[in-house]
Amino acid sequence: MLIQNESRVKEYLPITGLADFNKLSAKLIFGADSPAIQENRVATVQCLSGTGSLRVGGEFLARHYHERTIYIPQPTWGNHPKVFTLAGLTARSYRYYDPATRGLDFQGLLEDISSAPSGAIVLLHACAHNPTGVDPTLEQWEQIRQLMRSKALLPFFDSAYQGFASGSLDKDAQSVRMFVADGGELLMAQSYAKNMGLYGERVGALSIVCGSADIAVKVESQLKLVIRPMYSNPPLHGASIVATILKDSAMFDEWTLELKAMADRIISMREQLFNALKIRGPSVSKLWMFNLLVHFLLIPLCQSVDHLSYHAETPGDWSHIIKQIGMFTFTGLNSDQVAFMRQEYHIYMTSDGRISMAGLSSRTVPHLADAIHAAVTKLK
Ligand code: IK2
């Protein structure tokens, strides 16, 4: 549609980007009925994807906010500390992931956030935490919200995966909307890289929810002063794609269906990998033949075959693979095991053991399960 529209031009956008895109992006994350939007308390600027939104938000805070420390989860996306430090903030970490349970270290998180100085900034992954795939429950989010508001801590949400965690755009925005509903201030960095597949278009948005419409106007004006010397104005094409889709109800519906299909496929990959690890031992084709043999020959002979251990489970508890959320699984493999898998199986992942579930297919799951099985049995 965009290419065929001959009236389209390639003029510069305003410093704050495409107005329609900004409005629709705020609506997408905060909800159509968001009180903050209705009261004009949101200043939104189009930025260079999620990274650019974090950087502009970081520089704005370093210039104008009274507290320059930002608390980021441990672990987090590797770029976070660099983005915020170069923006002029001091990055500290709060406990997030518990390697023992491969789940959330909720107690550690609450303790660390409680001991942050009043007014400090806290970076929160809105959903599908990268790299762990571990998200707080809604009840835990509520506790985090209460604690942060009671200490006047400033939430800075990073939403790089809206729609990818549950398959529902609204569900994946619930954490953010809880904080907006209490009327307090927050920053929000949005990326369309993953959920619209617009990686290279570099399209995202920074929204600052303010205390009043008057403050939002001033904040927007100051954001322009951050952006103008940084990159002057943002790129046009990606934002036009997003605005076109968000504006058109038929295209929007089609997009949400595709998102759901993507999220469901990722969930199915998690189940397939988990099941493959449970039955690992002989290779899948051999196992399949073995299963046939067991079912057709041995079962009639031996009714207690269910108790026979005819296939070896991969050692360890792998239930985190199906419990974790979103695109990434934090496997719990150590760096030696990761190196072994690279060397022996040509499987490539970050050295912290993170794999992208989106990169897996039914065809490649058995190879990965073989490699994990070999790695954890050979290298403890
Ligand atoms: N924030 C988080 C939490 C992200 O995961 C990302 C994207 N990461 O990309 C995959 C990887 O390198 O691990 C971003 C922000 C920023 O993404 P972008 O600038 O592409 O929108």
Side-chain angles (χ1 to χ4, degrees), residues 46-350:
Q46 180 191 329
C47 292
L48 278 78
S49 214
T51 311
S53 309
L54 294 165
R55 180 65 188 256
V56 169
E59 298 230 0
F60 170 82
L61 293 171
R63 278 193 208 182
H64 300 292
Y65 189 59
H66 61 92
E67 174 57 65
R68 305 234 150 70
T69 310
I70 183 161
Y71 282 76
I72 54 179
Q74 172 56 37
T76 192
W77 179 47
N79 217 10
H80 277 148
K82 293 167 211 156
V83 166
F84 292 120
T85 306
L86 287 168
L89 300 173
T90 302
R92 294 235 173 93
S93 58
Y94 63 87
R95 277 170 285 170
Y96 189 85
Y97 177 74
D98 180 359
T101 61
R102 290 175 186 166
L104 185 68
D105 181 357
F106 189 51
Q107 212 40 48
L109 177 152
L110 292 179
E111 279 168 28
D112 290 350
I113 289 181
S114 305
S115 51
S118 167
I121 310 151
V122 179
L123 182 89
L124 301 161
H125 293 226
C127 70
H129 181 274
N130 178 12
T132 67
V134 174
D135 285 350
T137 62
L138 281 183
E139 292 71 34
Q140 288 169 332
W141 273 119
E142 177 53 20
Q143 272 179 268
I144 297 169
R145 187 194 67 77
Q146 285 178 15
L147 174 64
M148 285 186 55
R149 292 309 195 195
S150 73
K151 293 207 60 187
L153 300 173
L154 180 64
F156 194 153
F157 275 99
D158 182 0
S159 173
Y161 302 97
Q162 189 184 357
F164 250 59
S166 66
S168 153
L169 289 157
D170 289 326
K171 219 167 160 197
D172 289 356
Q174 273 177 310
S175 58
V176 178
R177 292 180 190 175
M178 280 165 71
F179 280 73
V180 176
D182 67 20
E185 296 171 331
L186 60 85
L187 281 83
M188 172 78 238
Q190 267 171 285
S191 166
Y192 289 97
K194 311 281 160 45
N195 59 11
M196 275 207 196
L198 292 174
Y199 298 84
E201 294 290 350
R202 310 309 293 144
V203 55
L206 170 73
S207 289
I208 305 190
V209 176
C210 306
S212 70
D214 193 34
I215 298 172
V217 171
K218 292 175 182 159
V219 163
E220 186 186 308
S221 167
Q222 292 303 319
L223 285 170
K224 285 187 199 166
L225 293 174
V226 173
I227 293 167
R228 180 68 174 153
M230 202 193 279
Y231 53 82
S232 205
N233 49 67
L236 171 67
H237 190 63
S240 308
I241 297 174
V242 173
T244 305
I245 293 169
L246 296 185
K247 238 190 283 188
D248 181 296
S249 64
M251 269 191 268
F252 182 83
D253 290 348
E254 197 180 326
W255 176 51
T256 55
L257 287 179
E258 287 172 357
L259 259 179
K260 175 89 176 82
M262 273 303 298
D264 286 350
R265 200 191 80 81
I266 290 172
I267 292 165
S268 145
M269 286 304 118
R270 289 185 177 282
E271 283 160 4
Q272 288 182 35
L273 179 60
F274 174 70
N275 290 335
L277 285 168
K278 276 197 82 137
I279 57 165
R280 208 56 11 200
S283 75
V284 164
S285 52
K286 280 190 218 135
L287 185 70
W288 184 75
M289 285 179 351
F290 188 59
N291 278 342
L292 274 184
L293 195 74
V294 167
H295 283 282
F296 291 103
L297 291 175
L298 294 184
I299 287 178
L301 297 175
C302 173
Q303 287 304 316
S304 61
V305 71
D306 281 346
H307 305 293
L308 294 178
S309 173
Y310 58 85
H311 41 229
E313 270 191 30
T314 302
D317 176 8
W318 297 93
S319 60
H320 57 285
I321 291 178
I322 41 178
K323 283 188 207 139
Q324 292 175 1
I325 292 160
M327 198 166 159
F328 299 114
T329 285
F330 214 41
T331 57
L333 295 164
N334 62 38
S335 55
D336 289 342
Q337 292 165 335
V338 169
F340 169 85
M341 287 168 61
R342 190 168 55 234
Q343 199 100 25
E344 302 295 325
Y345 286 83
H346 299 282
I347 288 173
Y348 301 87
M349 69 182 87
T350 51

